[in-house]
């Protein structure tokens, strides 16, 4: 197999994974209707006893998930509001679609949050509220807690993203700076019945972490927030109002997020409709169909991107030399979400950074290719989903006047792969279940 063949196969395997978590199909696999009987993951709801059905939501897949509910419930839907990322909206008949910024929130997200919470204030005990949740929901529905501003949340988000904090750590702090996160959206909807349909973008699918858990009990505390700030040395780098609010909360001067047993969750149902593991399963099937001996390594890979890239490259080298842990032609797949500690002023994302680091590790090797892609089609603040690297990548970069090692130090992976033509640009996929990584040894 040539490197070109391997790159085509890597893209086909990635695409199979993305298609397996298409949001509309994911919703309709779990929600069905026969007349007035609605079934949601085995639980039955009698629509004849429901005054109105409303749909709210947030995330990169929220608009398409809402479209599935419009198709299913039609004129039973009285209204709704969903907030999604710019470019991820679709036309809806009964539900308002609002677009906002990600990963740093903006005024559009604040306006959407206000519209959404105002709608929930009108619902009652005989109403049914669907909440569609997907990755990106934390940034796309910013509702600053009392005394805080959007600018406070923007600066805090930037600092957390730059320091390399894990997503569950970032969301722990987000939950304690918000009027909707950490179970507070369920409290706003109470006493209406609420069904949350969740497309997971967090390792292990913990409901309290996905989009900062707006409809589930929150196990984290203000004390946890203080510990996270200390872990990354952020106490003096975030806005004073934010630090003050978290410190007051840790002293018990501000109310905690809703915990298990809170009345807000008496009539809620939360259902995972899609996940990284589902996407990986489809990718495995595609790789086997292409003739590869295939190993699914893990759907829960986290950690520093550079370390993860070196580990995956080491697996490729082992296959090349010994045929372990899977013989050639070999495909090793993994999923999850790594983190990048920003050290330079370049442009890129964790998937492109993975590919550039891997390129340096496999330089000169024949028949080896590593690929990493974001299932939402957007890797960091770029228009690429990811990139691939093989044994010739560093050499081709050098011939184009690009220094792979120097550009990696500058976190400038996008410029490097744009220069060698090895970016994958898919456009918005309108789904989001973290990343897929493909290691091929031909």
């Amino acid at each position: 197999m040539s490197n070109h063949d391997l790159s085509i196969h890597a893209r086909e395997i990635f695409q199979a994974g993305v298609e397996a978590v298409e949001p509309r199909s994911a919703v309709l696999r779990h929600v069905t209707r026969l007349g007035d009987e609605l079934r949601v993951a085995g639980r039955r709801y009698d629509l004849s006893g429901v005054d109105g059905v409303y749909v709210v939501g947030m995330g990169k897949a929220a608009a398409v998930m809402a479209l599935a509910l419009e198709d299913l419930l039609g004129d039973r839907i009285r209204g709704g509001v969903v907030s999604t990322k710019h470019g991820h909206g679709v036309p809806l008949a009964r539900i308002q679609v609002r677009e906002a910024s990600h990963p740093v929130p903006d005024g559009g997200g604040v306006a959407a949050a206000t519209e959404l919470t105002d709608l929930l204030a009108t619902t009652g005990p005989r109403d049914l509220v669907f909440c569609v949740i997907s990755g990106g929901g934390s940034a796309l529905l910013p509702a600053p807690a009392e005394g805080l501003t959007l600018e406070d949340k923007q600066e805090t988000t930037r600092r957390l993203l730059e320091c390399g904090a894990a997503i569950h750590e970032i969301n722990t702090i987000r939950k304690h700076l918000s009027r909707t996160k950490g179970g507070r959206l369920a409290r706003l909807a109470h006493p209406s019945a609420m069904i949350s349909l969740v497309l997971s973008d967090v390792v292990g699918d913990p409901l309290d972490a996905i989009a900062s858990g707006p409809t589930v009990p929150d196990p984290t505390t203000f004390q946890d927030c203080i510990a996270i700030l200390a872990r990354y040395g952020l106490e003096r780098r975030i806005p004073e109002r934010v630090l003050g609010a978290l410190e007051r909360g840790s002293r018990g001067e501000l109310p905690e997020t809703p915990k298990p047993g809170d009345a807000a969750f008496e009539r809620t149902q939360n259902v995972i409709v899609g996940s990284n593991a589902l996407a990986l399963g489809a990718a495995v099937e595609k790789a086997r169909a292409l003739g590869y001996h295939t190993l699914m390594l893990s759907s829960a890979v986290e950690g520093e991107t550079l370390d993860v890239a070196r580990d995956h490259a080491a697996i490729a080298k082992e296959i090349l030399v010994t045929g372990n842990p899977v013989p050639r032609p070999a495909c090793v797949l993994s999923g999850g979400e790594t983190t990048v500690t920003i050290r330079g002023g370049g442009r890129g994302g964790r998937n492109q950074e993975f590919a550039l680091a891997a390129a340096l590790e496999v330089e000169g090797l024949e028949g080896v290719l590593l690929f990493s892609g974001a299932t939402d089609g957007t890797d960091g603040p770029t228009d690429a989903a990811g990139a691939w690297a093989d044994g010739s990548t560093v050499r081709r970069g050098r011939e184009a006047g690009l220094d792979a090692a120097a550009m990696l130090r500058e976190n400038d992976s996008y410029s490097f792969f744009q220069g060698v033509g090895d970016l994958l640009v898919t456009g918005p996929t309108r789904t989001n279940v973290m990343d897929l990584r493909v290691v091929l040894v031909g």
Side-chain angles (χ1 to χ4, degrees):
M1 297 178 188
S2 68
N3 288 339
H4 179 66
D5 293 333
L6 293 176
S7 69
I8 292 174
H9 289 170
R11 284 174 281 177
E12 290 178 353
I13 292 165
F14 172 75
Q15 187 60 34
V18 171
E19 290 174 358
V21 288
E22 191 278 320
R24 184 179 177 278
S25 299
V27 168
L28 296 178
R29 279 196 298 268
H30 291 81
V31 185
T32 59
R33 178 187 178 187
L34 182 61
D36 281 335
E37 182 180 89
L38 189 68
R39 293 190 181 186
V40 183
R43 187 180 297 185
R44 298 182 181 186
Y45 294 83
D46 183 3
L47 293 176
S48 65
V50 172
D51 286 346
V53 177
Y54 298 86
V55 179
V56 299
M58 68 294 296
K60 298 174 186 177
V64 181
M65 295 172 78
L67 174 63
L69 293 175
E70 279 201 346
D71 291 344
L72 188 69
L73 296 167
D75 59 8
R76 291 304 305 264
I77 296 177
R78 286 190 176 178
V81 180
V82 297
S83 179
T84 193
K85 183 177 178 177
H86 289 294
H88 287 62
V90 296
L92 298 179
R94 299 178 177 276
I95 302 164
Q96 301 301 313
V97 177
R98 305 295 183 231
E99 296 190 347
S101 177
H102 177 278
V104 177
D106 67 358
V110 173
T114 300
E115 191 175 356
L116 187 154
T117 55
D118 287 349
L119 175 65
L120 290 180
T122 69
T123 64
R126 286 177 54 84
D127 293 323
L128 174 61
V129 178
F130 276 95
C131 185
V132 292
I133 299 172
S134 65
S138 291
L140 293 166
L141 200 76
E146 186 175 352
L148 301 179
T149 66
L150 172 62
E151 291 73 22
D152 291 332
K153 297 195 73 171
Q154 289 172 326
E155 180 63 18
T156 301
T157 300
R158 289 191 191 98
R159 294 298 186 186
L160 288 165
L161 290 170
E162 290 170 356
C163 75
I167 188 62
H168 69 272
E169 295 174 315
I170 296 173
N171 285 356
T172 293
I173 291 177
R174 282 168 160 165
K175 285 187 269 192
H176 288 83
L177 303 177
S178 172
R179 292 182 287 109
T180 58
K181 298 174 175 61
R184 290 190 172 107
L185 195 69
R187 182 174 281 173
L188 291 171
H190 185 74
S192 301
M194 173 173 268
I195 301 168
S196 292
L197 306 174
V198 184
L199 196 65
S200 173
D201 73 327
V202 179
V203 168
D205 307 330
L207 286 165
D208 64 280
I210 303 164
S212 299
T215 63
V216 297
D218 178 30
T220 70
T221 66
F222 279 106
Q223 290 281 3
D224 294 329
C225 296
I226 297 299
I228 292 167
L229 295 180
R231 187 174 304 136
Y232 295 98
L234 294 177
E235 300 97 322
R236 298 182 183 277
R237 300 175 64 196
I238 62 172
E240 289 184 9
R241 280 189 295 262
V242 170
L243 179 61
L246 295 177
E247 288 178 336
R248 288 196 302 276
S250 70
R251 295 192 297 266
E253 297 171 15
L254 295 177
E256 261 292 356
T257 47
K259 306 302 178 191
D262 192 289
F265 308 113
E266 290 175 350
R267 304 185 66 200
T268 61
Q269 180 186 10
N270 293 278
V271 181
I272 299 283
V273 300
S275 67
N276 189 266
L278 181 63
L280 272 176
V284 167
E285 291 182 8
K286 181 63 177 180
R288 288 175 176 161
L290 290 170
Y292 290 93
H293 301 103
T294 304
L295 171 67
M296 198 279 275
L297 190 64
S298 173
S299 64
V301 175
E302 296 180 283
E304 184 67 34
T305 301
L306 297 179
D307 297 332
V308 174
R310 294 186 188 107
D311 291 343
H312 282 64
I315 293 172
K317 293 174 184 177
E318 188 68 28
I319 294 170
L320 198 61
V321 174
T322 71
N324 291 312
V326 60
R328 292 186 282 169
C331 175
V332 176
L333 296 165
S334 75
E337 188 167 291
T338 61
T339 54
V340 174
T341 301
I342 303 298
R343 298 178 177 89
R347 190 176 179 209
R350 59 183 178 267
N351 293 283
Q352 295 160 72
E353 180 120 342
F354 171 97
L356 187 52
L360 289 162
E361 296 293 323
V362 301
E363 182 180 2
L365 297 181
E366 293 290 337
V368 173
L369 181 138
L370 291 91
F371 168 85
S372 187
T375 56
D376 63 357
T378 307
D379 184 33
T382 76
D383 62 355
W388 62 89
D390 58 45
S392 71
T393 298
V394 173
R395 173 183 56 77
R396 289 186 287 114
R398 191 180 302 118
E399 291 170 353
L402 304 171
D403 185 329
M407 297 179 82
L408 181 62
R409 288 193 295 272
E410 281 296 307
N411 302 113
D412 201 14
S413 52
Y414 180 86
S415 298
F416 180 88
F417 285 110
Q418 187 178 47
V420 298
D422 289 347
L423 289 171
L424 176 65
V425 179
T426 64
T429 64
R430 295 180 174 83
T431 191
N432 185 18
V433 294
M434 300 181 287
D435 303 329
L436 295 180
R437 288 172 289 275
V438 184
V439 178
L440 297 180
V441 184

